[in-house]
Structure formats: C-alpha cells, structure tokens
Amino acid sequence: MQNFKMKFFLLLVTLTACAATPQDLTGKMFTFPQQTNSAHVRLTTSRQDFSAVTVCHRSFTDLKRDHILFSMSTLSFSNDFLIFWDNTNKEIEPHIRDRKVEYGGRDYKLNMWHSICFTWDSGSGLVQMWFDGQPSVRKFIISGTNITGPSIIILGQEQDSHGGGFDIKQSFIGMMSDVHMWNYILSPCEIQKYVDELSFTPGNVLNWGALEFQIRDRVLIENKQMTCQ
Ligand SMILES: *[C@@H]1O[C@H](CO)[C@@H](O)[C@H](O)[C@H]1NC(C)=O
Ligand SMILES: [Ca+2]
C-alpha cells in the first residue's frame, strides 16, 4: 500500500514536472474519479484574441446533477467560453463572454461517451452545438467582441473567478478525452471526421495529440479502451 502510494506520488510529481512539454494523449483519457472542489486539469495555450472558436471533446459520466464540461476564463470574464450541463432543465449551455444560451432536447445519456462540439463566430455572434455529430439550431449569443487576454482553461472544475472559485456541486466526475480547440469554425465535414474518429486537422489552440497541461490532485491519465475489442 505504501509502495503504491509512493508510486502514485512519483507519477504525479513526474506529470507536474513535465507540464511544459506537450504530451501526445492519443488513445488516452483523463479520469476524474472523485467528487472534490480541487481536482482539475489546467490546459495551456499561448494563443490569445479569438474572433471565432471551435471546441470539441468527448466525455463519459453518470452525474445526475449540474456539471462543468469545459471552463475557460479571462481576466474580464470568468465564463469567457464555458460548456455546462444544467441538470434541472436538462440543457447543455454554452456561455461566451458571460452570456449563455440553452440547448435542450438532446439525449445526454449517462454511462456512455458523447462527442460535443461548439462553434462561435464573433462576426455573426452565432453559436452552434454538434451533439454526437448532430447539428443544433444556430443561436445568437454575442457578437462584435473577441475573447481577449490571457486565458485559463480548466477541465473538471468550473471557474467562478480567474483560475479558481470552484464549486464541488459543479465538478465533473467521469472520463474526458479528445479535447481540441481551434481559433476558427470547423466545417460540418471536419466536425463529422472528428466525431467518427477519422483523420482531422487537430486543434491549433488545444491539441490532444500535443497537449500542454498540469494536473492538480487526483486526476489520472489512463487508456481509453474500456471494453474488449
Ligand atoms: C477580433 O479579432 C480579429 C482577428 O484576430 C480582428 O481582426 C478584429 O479586429 C478583432 N475585433 C475586435 C472587436 O477586437
Ligand atoms: Ca460556479
């Protein structure tokens, strides 16, 4: 038991020490195994000033409460680009620059992987969700403003302040994989390729195949394969 703890500790230390070096997480997932108000992964990008954004990820949970799926804050807005599950209304909510819209009527089933992509363009101000490859209505959220300044991107916890203000009741428990972010809008065909796990252009802001990140507390990197194939 002590030996295991020590190995686990050394693994954490190694991962933290390697944070600056991008890692190829192809075939891997982050496992968030425990409800806390601290465990999270902080993703690093040098890019700033976004006039358009696409974010895609896959996640798997059995949470029957509100939870965060993606939290990006800047100094100006703690919800500068955020994806949130509202369990009361059964809606997936994108937030951009602290504004939000709601997407209901999707079969966000527990205990299975879902691919969720969001696009937003500051010119039109329209946001769109691709849930398991199915496009949503295009809704107006906010236009004529860019997401500017240094950002903090966090998986596993929702930021109420820049880099903090975590609420245990909004934390994510489960697995997350294939997180990509682009500073432009992906075409429907590119999104379909992502959903089908075919070859696609990886994110130029966040790239799962070359991810810079830091793990805080108990989040594990594990192989994504969970069934016999
Ligand atoms: C937003 O960013 C684009 C491209 O980076 C730039 O051309 C545009 O002027 C910016 N708009 C605002 C309102 O800052
Ligand atoms: Ca919150």
Side-chain angles (χ1 to χ4, degrees):
M1 197 60 191
Q2 277 313 117
N3 192 29
F4 170 77
K5 273 188 188 159
M6 183 52 76
K7 274 185 190 155
F8 187 71
F9 176 72
L10 287 175
L11 178 69
L12 286 182
V13 169
T14 313
L15 290 174
T16 310
C18 293
T21 320
Q23 289 188 48
D24 181 358
L25 295 182
T26 305
K28 308 272 185 193
M29 63 187 182
F30 288 132
T31 300
F32 300 85
Q34 198 177 20
Q35 174 162 286
T36 72
N37 67 350
S38 58
H40 66 271
V41 183
R42 184 166 162 166
L43 309 179
T44 306
T45 178
S46 55
R47 289 197 187 253
Q48 294 183 18
D49 203 17
F50 303 104
S51 59
V53 172
T54 302
V55 170
C56 289
H57 80 276
R58 281 185 247 279
S59 56
F60 185 122
T61 186
D62 66 352
L63 283 170
K64 294 192 204 72
R65 58 157 172 77
D66 292 353
H67 55 269
I68 188 68
L69 293 169
F70 186 91
S71 173
M72 174 179 182
S73 78
T74 60
L75 290 164
S76 320
F77 298 100
S78 55
N79 301 333
D80 224 338
F81 195 103
L82 189 121
I83 306 168
F84 193 78
W85 171 252
D86 174 343
N87 200 63
T88 307
N89 299 306
K90 304 281 184 266
E91 289 166 343
I92 299 180
E93 297 175 348
H95 296 237
I96 292 162
R97 314 235 86 193
D98 282 358
R99 312 276 186 95
K100 68 161 177 165
V101 293
E102 297 87 14
Y103 286 107
R106 291 309 178 98
D107 204 4
Y108 185 61
K109 278 195 186 128
L110 306 182
N111 298 303
M112 62 177 285
W113 286 101
H114 294 288
S115 297
I116 300 175
C117 296
F118 272 97
T119 66
W120 169 72
D121 167 55
S122 75
S124 66
L126 298 183
V127 66
Q128 185 167 28
M129 175 171 74
W130 295 77
F131 182 83
D132 290 336
Q134 295 301 308
S136 73
V137 170
R138 292 162 63 72
K139 295 190 179 182
F140 179 80
I141 185 161
I142 187 167
S143 66
T145 173
N146 292 352
I147 297 174
T148 50
S151 59
I152 296 179
I153 302 174
I154 285 181
L155 304 177
Q157 299 288 340
E158 197 272 328
Q159 304 175 70
D160 276 350
S161 62
H162 195 48
F166 303 147
D167 177 353
I168 193 167
K169 290 280 159 46
Q170 297 178 335
S171 65
F172 178 81
I173 306 171
M175 288 85 77
M176 198 167 281
S177 187
D178 302 330
V179 182
H180 288 268
M181 179 170 173
W182 299 259
N183 64 356
Y184 56 90
I185 299 215
L186 261 63
S187 71
C189 289
E190 285 169 308
I191 290 192
Q192 195 59 55
K193 283 193 239 168
Y194 171 85
V195 172
D196 292 342
E197 305 196 40
L198 302 173
S199 163
F200 61 92
T201 308
N204 63 348
V205 180
L206 300 174
N207 175 1
W208 191 252
L211 200 68
E212 285 182 56
F213 62 95
Q214 285 172 287
I215 288 179
R216 286 289 142 77
D217 295 345
R218 185 163 289 119
V219 181
L220 296 95
I221 299 170
E222 299 190 294
N223 290 326
K224 199 177 163 197
Q225 186 180 340
M226 298 195 300
T227 52
C228 178
Q229 285 173 340

